[in-house]
Amino acid sequence: QVQLAESGGGLVQAGGSLRLSCITSGMTFDDYIMGWFRRAPGKERAGVSCISWSGKTTKTADSVKGRFTISRANAKNTLYLQMDSLEPDDTAMYYCAAVRSSPNFCPASRDVRYWGQGTQVTVSL
């Protein structure tokens, strides 16, 4: 049974930092492009960042570029998202996602094979 479990969310002041983790099981981790999505109140789910099978290549949304860093530890079957300089607009439910491949590297939501249940990030003033 494939499972993706996020952790690390919480309440933080603007300008602060959080590190999200996604621990996976039941899957061959390095067979998958991994990514983070988020869904903010009143908005559609949007891609945040994704990372290649080996971790050598990453892509990050313009809205968080320079502030968020995605990484993976294949030996631990774990995906990370380091979030710095957080802003109130970053408030969202954050989801871990896995897909074997994607034509545009970062997958669209409809192409995701496995989802985590999400972890809430709330950024206050």
Side-chain angles (χ1 to χ4, degrees), residues 8-20 38 67-68 81-92 94 119-125:
L11 176 64
V12 65
Q13 292 185 29
S17 297
L18 288 172
R19 190 193 194 204
L20 307 184
R38 66 185 183 183
R67 300 189 296 117
F68 291 11
L81 185 67
Q82 178 67 44
M83 304 186 296
D84 298 317
S85 301
L86 283 161
E87 304 169 356
D89 283 350
D90 296 319
T91 295
Y94 284 73
T119 185
Q120 178 67 41
V121 172
T122 303
V123 184
S124 68
L125 295 173

Side-chain angles (χ1 to χ4, degrees), residues 8 18 20 22-23 35-36 38 46-47 52 58 64-66 70 72-73 81 99 101 103-104 107 123:
L18 288 172
L20 307 184
C22 172
I23 301 173
W36 290 97
R38 66 185 183 183
S52 64
T58 64
V64 303
K65 194 172 297 181
I70 191 170
R72 65 193 294 165
L81 185 67
V99 63
S101 64
N104 298 313
V123 184

